[in-house]
Every structure is written in structure tokens, then in C-alpha cells.
Amino acid sequence: MHDAMLEISGLNAHYRDFQALYGVGMHVKAGEVLAIIGANGAGKTTLMRSISGLMANGAGQIRYKNQDISALRADQVAALGIALVPEGRQLFRSLSVEENLVIGGQIGRKGPWHLEAVFNLFPILRERRAVPATSLSGGQQQMVAIGRALMANPDMILFDEISLGLAPIIIKDIYAALPGIIGEGMSAMIVEQDISKALAVSSRVYCLQEGRVSLEGASGAVSRSDISRAYFGIE
Ligand code: ATP
């Protein structure tokens, strides 16, 4: 046993008769930042969705702060303090930047994040608060998605494909904001295609391969060849 905030064991997940996760086990300690890497289709998004209460309940257990959350709905998981920044951002298209952010806060958890704090983190969103979120650039929309998650004042934040499809300069801005987001003891899981970035920002890394954990290690200690083997299963 370790003092894990989130502990996943034997987790399976299915899309109808297709099995996407096989007996996944991992843990996150309070204040820890984990990187989740793996090839396309390895199961990273499915893992994020499973933790967030967005998958039908499969076998296995997800314990968060010593409570089994495997069977909870997404809103119940969010109320306990886990927030997802989903792949593709999934903003409310007809609502303004500010309205999208306010929705994130409706869960009613107390903490340091509120509208002004998000605007201080991403000042461009203050300037653009009244425009429809979908009229923003992809990078600015990602900032709204991150801000919306923060507005729920989570203890754990899950970033799915944090930089996918964004311009390098925006990726730089988002990574520059991460320490301010993760500071004060928030835990995070970061799904990232860019392995160097993933390793640089995290203390531990898990690699998924075809729905199974193929590597677990300290981010500073895993080698390139460990990673290639874990990605593709080749020696
Ligand atoms: P990517 O980097 O491409 O997003 P991923 O590691 O996040 O990949 P998942 O999206 O979790 O992978 O997908 C895992 C497996 O589940 C893949 O084989 C994918 O084709 C399958 N899958 C994902 N979503 C569905 C769905 N809605 N219906 C059926 N199969 C799905």
C-alpha cells in the first residue's frame, strides 16, 4: 500500500464488444504529476474517461481518497474533486468564453480558482470574455477548457492530449502556465504525444500499449529504449 490519492487496479474498459483497457493498474499520490504516454489507440483517452465517470462501469476498481468511485457518474466524480480537460476541448459552442468558464464553477467546490484567477492565468481570455468560445483560436479554446476545469477547484486534474494540434507558441504558453496550475498540491495526469514534454513536466510516467500498462517509471530515469519498447513492443 502507498499513500495514493488515486489508486486504479484491474481496470478493464469496453466499447460494446471491443476491449480497450486490460487490467490497468496505476496510482497517483497527492501533489504528483503523472505523464501518460502511448501510441494512438493505446487507451489513454479511455483511461481518462474511465476515471472521470464517462465509461460504462467495467471490471476493476478506481479508488479516490479512499472511496471507490468506479460506479459513480461524471458529475459525482467532479463533485469529489476530479476535473477533466477533454481531448478536443468540447466547449459549449453557443456560449461565450465567460459563460463556459462559469459553468465549470457550478459544481460549487471552494478553492483558489475563480473567474479572475483564470483571467490572470490566461489574460487573453479576459480580453475575449464576451465572444463565443468557438470563435477563438484552437490554443485559446484549450485555455478555456483548462480554465473551465480549474473553475471546479479540483484536487486532481486530468489533461487529455494537452497540446494536440496547437501551434508551438501556444503549447509553450500552456506549459508555462502548468506550474501555476499544479502548484499548491494539486495532482495531475497529463496525456501528451510529445514524449520529451511529458517527461519534463512529470515525476512519473506510465506508458500504455494496446490497453495495458507497458511501462511505469520515474520520468527522469526511463531511457529512450525503454520507451520505444513500451510504445511498440519491440526489442
Ligand atoms: P489517441 O491518441 O488516438 O486518442 P488513445 O490512446 O487515447 O488514442 P483511445 O481513444 O482510448 O486511445 O482508444 C483506445 C481503443 O478504443 C482504440 O482502439 C479505439 O479505436 C477504441 N475506441 C475508442 N473510442 C471508441 C468508441 N467510441 N467506439 C469503439 N471503439 C473505440
Side-chain angles (χ1 to χ4, degrees), residues 35-228:
I36 310 293
I37 60 173
N40 285 343
K44 306 179 299 294
T45 294
T46 305
L47 173 66
M48 298 292 110
R49 290 173 50 83
S50 298
I51 298 169
S52 308
L54 292 167
M55 293 293 291
N57 192 15
Q61 210 182 45
I62 306 174
R63 290 187 77 77
Y64 176 66
K65 295 181 181 170
N66 285 323
Q67 178 181 349
D68 184 355
I69 63 164
S70 337
L72 298 187
R73 295 187 312 265
D75 59 311
Q76 295 171 314
V77 173
L80 290 174
I82 297 180
L84 173 67
V85 182
E87 184 175 11
R89 305 183 275 276
Q90 297 176 19
L91 302 178
F92 296 99
R93 301 183 65 83
S94 59
L95 300 185
S96 70
V97 167
E98 180 166 338
E99 287 164 337
N100 267 279
L101 293 172
V102 166
I103 281 177
Q106 280 177 352
I107 202 100
R109 288 175 53 85
K110 295 206 181 339
W113 292 101
H114 49 78
L115 211 46
E116 279 309 306
V118 171
F119 288 154
N120 290 341
L121 183 71
F122 297 124
I124 185 72
L125 300 187
R126 180 184 281 113
E127 283 171 37
R128 315 220 55 197
R129 65 198 292 169
V131 306
T134 48
S135 70
L136 302 183
S137 71
Q140 291 166 0
Q141 288 187 32
Q142 182 67 299
M143 291 172 189
V144 177
I146 294 171
R148 182 180 57 185
L150 291 173
M151 290 284 288
N153 277 298
D155 294 324
M156 175 165 294
I157 186 161
L158 313 177
F159 295 100
D160 193 1
E161 303 285 7
I162 190 169
S163 56
L164 189 70
L166 302 182
I169 186 152
I170 297 287
I171 296 175
K172 207 160 148 260
D173 281 354
I174 286 179
Y175 271 90
L178 273 187
I181 293 172
I182 294 163
E184 299 183 37
M186 197 189 292
S187 309
M189 292 174 84
I190 300 182
V191 173
E192 171 59 86
Q193 296 280 348
D194 181 331
I195 297 171
S196 311
K197 280 213 163 56
L199 296 179
V201 80
S202 59
S203 52
R204 280 191 308 120
V205 56
Y206 287 91
C207 185
L208 290 178
Q209 187 196 321
E210 295 181 359
R212 294 178 171 84
V213 173
S214 55
L215 174 76
E216 174 193 357
S219 301
V222 292
S223 70
R224 284 274 147 188
S225 65
D226 291 338
I227 290 176
S228 327

